[in-house]
Structures are given as structure tokens and as C-alpha cells.
């Protein structure tokens, strides 16, 4: 990255992320654009920001836009990125809501959605695979990954509780490796 | 001049309703630890007790917010739209609800992000980044599984998911094209009953 993005670029980038996410998969789209395409964050920086944004109250993806915006342009960047993320989607949702309340039926997109949701889920799985290849280089890292997946995805414990259990181990493992190249 | 209230939406939105919208979403904003989905049950109950939405309507709005691009938290936009009485006053309700849902949590994120940036070279930040990366990968995989389950995946959809995962992982295909193709398949599949019986 040569120079930090301006406000307009932040807004347009997050607008692009939002509009691409038909059927879901916003986290995967954010990573695709922020890490792979724009190289605004490293893989680890992005992943930790994502978890911080999940711990904090608020919608995860809006939080992430605020987080990225603040990194480059402070509070103005936060406004630009989050406004870029939601402005067009709010308009779209309002039109759909108007349609729903006027004709009292859900717009006929159900079958299209049934195709798009699997693709969005697939993007999320692919993100787990790609980031996993980079971050899961040791048995302990794999153990942390499995523990978090089981607690959050299988047992369905709440995020604060799952993190309270896994977080200390993650820090204990990460501390001696902080800032070093991958083993 | 034609007043807003003359557009057939009754009296417009009352100050009491605006305060109700602000109070509800401002509170839910700070309570939504772990993401917006965690406060959906509360949001549904309050929307019903405030007389804004029936449970069926709430479920329909949830489906709409899921289908639309962008963050699914935009269900609050729709709840605000109905609370304001739909029409132009509804748009005011929608904007107030959206802003009330974003701002309180947004400020918390803002201060956290500033603190995080100021610790750019700190060892503890690097330790968190290194240590939390595997945890986040676990969380991401979990969220995929949870969505797949709640979206009521049929066999056809699981096959589509598997194929798309391979494409995303092994090729450099434009994800938008893949999502679009999957939507098209869903549409055709729906007509012939492959995807949903």
C-alpha cells in the first residue's frame, strides 16, 4: 500500500463490499477486498479486528467498517466507511419494505436466494480454509481453532463465554510468538 | 404546500413513537454483544408490544433483510419504517432506527480502534493478533455452519455449497459470478423442485 485511502475511497470500497454480499458472506467479502484486493490490512490484523468487532456490541460488519475507517482517517473515516457500507443497502431495503407493506407479500426472490445462500456460505467456508492455511501452522493453533469452532458452532455457547475460555490459551500461545515470522 | 401528513399516512409520526424508536434501538445497540443477531428476540418482542409488527411480519422483514445486500442488521431499518407508519414518515422512522442502532456501538468501536492503533508496536497487540487468528478462523467456520443449518439446507443446497467452496478455494473465479450463477441455479432449481421440495 503506497498511501492511505481517502474518505471517498473508503466509502466506495465499503459500498462495493456491501453490494457484493447478496445472500450473505459479508465477512468473506470484507476480507476479499480489504486484505486480498486492497492490501489495507495483513491477514492477522484483519482477523483480530474481526474478532474485536464481534466482541464489541453492534453489528459486526458495521463495526468492522468503523474499525477500518478509523485506522486510516480517524472519525471521518469511520463515518465514510460505515455510510458507504449501509447507504445503498438502506435504500434497497426500504424499497423492498415498501413493496412488502403495500402488497403484503415478500418480493419473489425466494428461489434465487436459495441458490445464493449456499454460495455465500461457501465463501465463508473458503475464507476459513484460506485463512486457516496461513494461521494454523502448529498443533496448538489447530487446537485453538477446533476449540473455538466446537464451542461456538457445535455447542453454541455465547461468544463472550467461548472467548473467556479460549482467549487466555490463545494469548499464552501468541505471546512468545508475537511479531515473529511464522514457525 | 402539501404537508407530509396529507399523504395518506394519518397523523405522521408522534414524538412518543420517535422516543420509543430511539430508546429501543439505542439500548439494543449496546446490548448486541456478539453481533446484531443476538438481540433479535428482544427486538421482536418489543416490536410486538409496541404494536408495530406481528410476529409473522417480523419474520418476513427478517427474510427481506437477509436477502438484501449489506449487513443483515438493516432489519432495524424496516422495523423503524413500520413504526413510523410506512410512507414518508416511515422513512423518518427508518433513519432514526438505523442511526440509533449504529451510533452507540459505533462510538465504542471508534475508541477501541483508536486505542488499538496507538498500540501498533506494542507486544501485547501482536500477541493478540497472533493468538486470536486461529480463534477467528474457528469462529468464521462456525458462522458458516450456523447459517447453513438455519437456512434449512436441502441436499441440493449442500451440493451447491460444496461445489462453490471448491471453486472459491481452488480457482481465482470472480466470487460475484459464482454467487450470481448460484442464484440462477436456485431460480431454475426452484422451478423444477431440485432445491426445495
Amino acid at each position: 500500500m503506497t498511501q492511505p485511502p481517502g474518505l471517498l475511497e473508503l466509502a466506495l470500497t465499503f459500498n462495493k463490499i456491501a453490494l457484493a454480499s447478496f445472500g450473505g458472506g459479508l465477512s468473506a467479502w470484507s476480507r476479499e477486498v480489504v486484505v486480498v484486493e486492497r492490501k489495507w490490512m495483513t491477514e492477522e490484523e484483519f482477523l483480530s479486528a474481526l474478532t474485536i468487532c464481534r466482541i464489541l456490541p453492534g453489528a459486526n460488519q458495521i463495526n468492522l467498517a468503523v474499525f477500518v475507517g478509523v485506522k486510516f482517517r480517524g472519525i471521518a473515516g469511520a463515518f465514510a466507511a460505515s455510510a458507504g457500507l449501509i447507504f445503498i443497502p438502506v435504500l434497497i431495503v426500504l424499497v423492498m419494505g415498501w413493496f412488502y407493506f403495500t402488497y403484503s407479500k415478500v418480493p419473489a426472490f425466494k428461489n434465487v436466494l436459495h441458490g445464493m445462500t449456499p454460495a455465500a456460505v461457501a465463501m465463508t467456508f473458503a475464507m476459513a480454509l484460506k485463512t486457516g492455511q496461513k494461521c494454523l501452522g502448529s498443533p496448538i493453533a489447530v487446537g485453538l481453532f477446533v476449540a473455538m469452532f466446537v464451542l461456538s458452532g457445535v455447542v453454541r455457547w455465547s461468544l463472550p463465554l467461548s472467548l473467556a475460555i479460549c482467549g487466555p490459551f490463545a494469548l499464552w500461545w501468541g505471546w512468545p510468538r508475537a511479531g515473529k515470522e511464522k514457525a | 404546500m402539501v404537508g407530509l401528513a396529507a399523504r395518506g399516512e394519518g397523523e405522521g409520526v408522534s414524538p412518543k413513537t420517535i422516543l420509543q424508536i430511539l430508546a429501543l434501538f439505542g439500548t439494543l445497540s449496546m446490548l448486541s454483544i456478539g453481533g446484531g443477531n443476538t438481540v433479535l428476540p428482544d427486538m421482536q418482542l418489543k416490536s410486538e408490544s409496541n404494536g408495530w409488527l406481528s410476529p409473522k411480519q417480523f419474520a418476513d422483514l427478517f427474510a427481506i433483510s437477509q436477502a438484501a445486500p449489506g449487513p443483515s442488521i438493516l432489519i432495524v431499518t424496516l422495523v423503524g419504517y413500520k413504526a413510523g407508519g410506512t410512507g414518508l414518515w416511515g422513512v423518518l422512522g427508518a433513519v432514526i432506527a438505523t442511526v440509533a442502532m449504529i451510533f452507540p456501538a459505533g462510538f465504542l468501536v471508534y475508541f477501541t480502534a483508536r486505542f488499538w492503533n496507538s498500540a501498533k508496536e506494542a507486544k501485547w497487540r501482536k500477541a493478540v493478533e497472533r493468538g486470536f487468528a486461529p480463534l477467528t478462523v474457528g469462529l468464521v467456520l462456525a458462522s458458516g455452519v450456523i447459517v447453513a443449518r438455519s437456512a434449512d439446507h436441502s441436499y441440493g443446497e449442500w451440493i451447491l455449497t460444496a461445489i462453490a467452496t471448491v471453486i472459491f478455494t481452488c480457482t481465482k473465479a470472480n466470487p460475484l459470478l459464482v454467487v450470481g450463477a448460484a442464484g440462477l441455479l436456485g431460480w431454475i432449481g426452484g422451478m423444477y423442485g431440485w432445491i426445495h421440495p
Side-chain angles (χ1 to χ4, degrees), chain B:
Chain B
M1 196 184 87
V2 181
L4 288 174
R7 300 209 171 199
E9 300 300 340
E11 308 300 307
V13 60
S14 71
K16 182 173 163 243
T17 306
I18 291 181
L19 282 179
Q20 278 179 328
I21 296 174
L22 274 174
L24 174 61
F25 293 108
T27 315
L28 291 180
S29 177
M30 292 309 275
L31 288 177
S32 55
I33 293 167
N37 286 344
T38 53
V39 293
L40 280 175
D42 283 355
M43 199 188 296
Q44 193 274 320
L45 286 176
K46 272 286 179 187
S47 312
E48 195 181 353
S49 65
N50 285 346
W52 297 338
L53 292 163
S54 70
K56 164 82 167 66
Q57 285 176 322
F58 189 87
D60 285 344
L61 294 188
F62 178 70
I64 293 176
S65 67
Q66 292 285 310
S72 55
I73 194 65
L74 294 186
I75 186 174
V76 305
T77 309
L78 290 168
V79 176
Y81 177 66
K82 180 60 168 43
T86 69
L88 280 179
W89 288 107
V91 174
L92 180 67
V95 171
I96 293 172
T98 311
V99 168
M101 188 73 196
I102 292 177
F103 265 67
F107 269 104
L108 210 58
V109 178
Y110 167 70
F111 288 113
T112 309
R114 270 186 49 172
F115 173 65
W116 193 249
N117 290 336
S118 69
K120 201 170 189 331
E121 300 302 324
K123 174 150 187 179
W124 63 262
R125 173 175 158 174
K126 290 180 175 151
V128 171
E129 288 190 341
R130 177 58 52 93
F132 272 39
L135 298 184
T136 308
V137 179
L139 274 178
V140 168
L141 184 63
S143 67
V145 170
I146 289 168
V147 172
R149 282 206 193 137
S150 67
D152 192 20
H153 261 43
S154 62
Y155 285 117
E157 284 164 292
W158 276 112
I159 293 169
L160 203 53
T161 305
I163 296 171
T165 306
V166 172
I167 295 175
F168 286 135
T169 318
C170 304
T171 72
K172 294 207 179 295
N174 183 341
L176 255 188
L177 284 180
V178 180
V179 176
L184 192 66
L185 267 177
W187 184 55
I188 298 169
M191 285 196 296
Y192 292 98
W194 304 334
I195 295 231
H196 255 241

Side-chain angles (χ1 to χ4, degrees), chain A residues 84-105:
Chain A
L85 184 74
I86 67 161
F87 184 71
I88 307 269
V90 161
L91 293 182
I92 293 175
V93 140
L94 277 176
V95 170
M96 287 163 94
W98 169 84
F99 182 93
Y100 172 74
F101 286 113
T102 309
Y103 300 102
S104 41
K105 58 181 173 194

Side-chain angles (χ1 to χ4, degrees), chain A residues 28-71:
Chain A
W29 276 107
S30 303
R31 175 186 167 272
E32 196 69 35
V33 175
V34 171
V35 178
V36 179
E37 192 187 304
R38 303 284 155 100
K39 298 185 173 55
W40 285 352
M41 283 179 159
T42 65
E43 197 83 72
E44 284 187 349
E45 192 183 4
F46 177 82
L47 289 176
S48 57
L50 195 59
T51 291
I52 291 169
C53 290
R54 285 187 184 210
I55 305 167
L56 293 173
N60 303 327
Q61 300 308 324
I62 298 177
N63 286 358
L64 188 71
V66 170
F67 204 100
V68 175
V70 171
K71 172 178 164 139

Side-chain angles (χ1 to χ4, degrees), chain A:
Chain A
M1 191 177 61
T2 46
Q3 69 185 69
L7 294 178
L8 186 66
E9 195 183 349
L10 279 169
L12 291 177
T13 301
F14 277 93
N15 178 53
K16 177 184 165 178
I17 292 171
L19 293 188
S21 69
F22 261 105
L26 254 180
S27 295
W29 276 107
S30 303
R31 175 186 167 272
E32 196 69 35
V33 175
V34 171
V35 178
V36 179
E37 192 187 304
R38 303 284 155 100
K39 298 185 173 55
W40 285 352
M41 283 179 159
T42 65
E43 197 83 72
E44 284 187 349
E45 192 183 4
F46 177 82
L47 289 176
S48 57
L50 195 59
T51 291
I52 291 169
C53 290
R54 285 187 184 210
I55 305 167
L56 293 173
N60 303 327
Q61 300 308 324
I62 298 177
N63 286 358
L64 188 71
V66 170
F67 204 100
V68 175
V70 171
K71 172 178 164 139
F72 294 115
R73 295 282 163 187
I75 192 139
F79 274 98
S82 51
L85 184 74
I86 67 161
F87 184 71
I88 307 269
V90 161
L91 293 182
I92 293 175
V93 140
L94 277 176
V95 170
M96 287 163 94
W98 169 84
F99 182 93
Y100 172 74
F101 286 113
T102 309
Y103 300 102
S104 41
K105 58 181 173 194
V106 179
F109 48 66
K110 219 174 168 191
N111 285 332
V112 178
L113 189 67
H114 272 303
M116 281 179 168
T117 305
V121 170
M123 253 190 102
T124 311
F125 286 156
M127 173 180 170
L129 280 168
K130 287 179 196 164
T131 54
Q133 283 172 350
K134 291 178 191 162
C135 305
L136 304 179
S138 77
I140 295 178
V142 174
L144 289 168
F145 155 76
V146 171
M148 199 63 191
F149 170 70
V150 169
L151 289 183
S152 170
V154 181
V155 193
R156 299 295 297 273
W157 283 0
S158 75
L159 179 67
L161 185 59
S162 310
L163 269 177
I165 294 168
C166 298
F169 291 103
L171 282 178
W172 163 77
W173 175 76
W175 191 262
R177 292 162 182 81
K180 292 185 188 141
E181 288 302 306
K182 303 271 158 56

